[in-house]
Structures are given as structure tokens and as C-alpha cells.
Amino acid sequence: RPARRHRTRRPPAPGPAGRFTRYTPAGARDTLPFDRAILPDEGARCDRPDRGISFFSAPFGASSIAVPTPTGSIATAVTSAYRVAFVGPTGDTTRVIEREIASTPITDGEWTAANVEWIKFHKDWPTAKCSRSDFPRPVQKPFLVSLFFDDVQRLWVEVVTPNGPRYDVFSADGRLLATVAGLPESGGIDPSIAGNRIALVGRGADDTPVVRLYRLMR
């Protein structure tokens, strides 16, 4: 799936680091600070003749992931490597999960589709001044897509493989419990898991959001 976003925005203002807030029926209860990995800026900034600014992220570029765990730490990863680190409240890394995985090539069709908005932008704004003229084509897709937890606090890692999406399931101590294949991509929205059922958000025939329910089989 192309890691492309096109948006018009103002640069973020300086301020405190990000934080997760836990909510209960009574309201906000506590917070957990986190810092995403600082990655090289591989995107593009374009100044348009109408004085607007457009930003493009690099297609199939690496990104950082940070999610709170049920035990109060933060699970972090960079999508270009299968390495999930658990960072405690004091900032110390308490555990790391690493796995070897085959790389997934980017097809010509996928690369063309990932650059559609970039090419269209230059046709619409031929005199725009951009920080780069093109994006280099990576040799492979990022390995990871997302991290999330199920109803019994197991970590699920969404993985990109040559055979399609895969979900690796880990115990609280980092042991691989299962590998789930045959499910679609999460689409950037965390699935909901209860028992042997998993709900994922997808798109219907008319491109409207739909929730699909799957049963997990051994």
C-alpha cells in the first residue's frame, strides 16, 4: 500500500512532546508521554503560485509507530525494519522483538499508482517550486504497517510479505504465539478483536466504509 499523503497545512508549532491520554466513563484519567523516532525528511514541500503550500510524503517511505501497551509502556517501531521496542515510563527500553522477513518488491503498477497525486500536482501547478523534483524508488516495501493489542493484551504486528498481509501475535513476554494469514490489510484503522473474531474496516462497492467480521481459525 503506498505510503502517500497529500495535504495542505501549516508547519507544526513547537511545543511539548506527544502523549496518550486514557479515558474512562468519568473522563480523562492519566497520560503517557511518547516520542516517535526522528526519521530523515524524505518528503517534498511545494510552494504554489497562489501562496499555498503542499506537502507530499515519500511513496513507500519509512514511518514511525508508537502505541501504548496495557502495562503502561510504549511499543515503538520504524516500518522499514521488523524491530519492536518497548519503552518504559523512564525512557528505558525494556524489551525488543525482532524477526527476519523476506522483502516485498514494489511492482511497476504500484509505483505508478503511488505517484499519481505527485504527477497530477505538477500538471495542475507547473510553476510550483518544490524542494525536490522527484522521489527515488525504494528497493522494497516497508516491512511493518501497524501495531495493536487484542482483548487479552496480546500484541499484533501487521506485516507486509510477498504473499500478502500477515499478522504476527505475541504474548506479553514477547513470545510468538501465532501467525495469521488470509485477512485483508487494516487500512490504517486498528482492528477490534474479541475471542476468535476480528473486525476490520474496509470499503464497500460504492467506496463507503464497511465493517467486516472474520472468524479466526486454527
Side-chain angles (χ1 to χ4, degrees), residues 76-89:
T76 67
V78 174
T79 58
S80 56
Y82 199 134
R83 183 180 188 276
V84 182
F86 295 82
V87 181

Side-chain angles (χ1 to χ4, degrees), residues 3-71:
R4 165 59 57 86
R5 299 182 306 276
H6 172 215
R7 59 209 183 272
T8 300
R9 67 177 189 186
R10 293 181 179 179
R19 62 183 60 246
F20 293 104
T21 302
R22 181 168 66 99
Y23 285 89
T24 69
R29 293 295 302 274
D30 53 20
T31 59
L32 184 66
F34 74 95
D35 289 311
R36 290 182 180 270
I38 299 176
L39 302 177
D41 184 6
E42 298 178 341
R45 166 182 166 146
C46 295
D47 296 318
R48 304 193 306 264
D50 66 348
R51 307 180 109 182
I53 302 175
S54 291
F55 293 84
F56 293 83
S57 58
F60 297 101
S63 60
S64 62
I65 307 173
V67 298
T69 74
T71 59

Side-chain angles (χ1 to χ4, degrees), residues 78-117:
V78 174
T79 58
S80 56
Y82 199 134
R83 183 180 188 276
V84 182
F86 295 82
V87 181
T90 61
D92 296 325
T93 299
T94 59
R95 187 172 70 256
V96 173
I97 294 175
E98 293 182 286
R99 296 197 73 191
E100 294 292 331
I101 182 173
S103 62
T104 303
I106 301 168
T107 67
D108 291 342
E110 289 171 330
W111 182 248
T112 299
N115 283 277
V116 165
E117 291 184 2

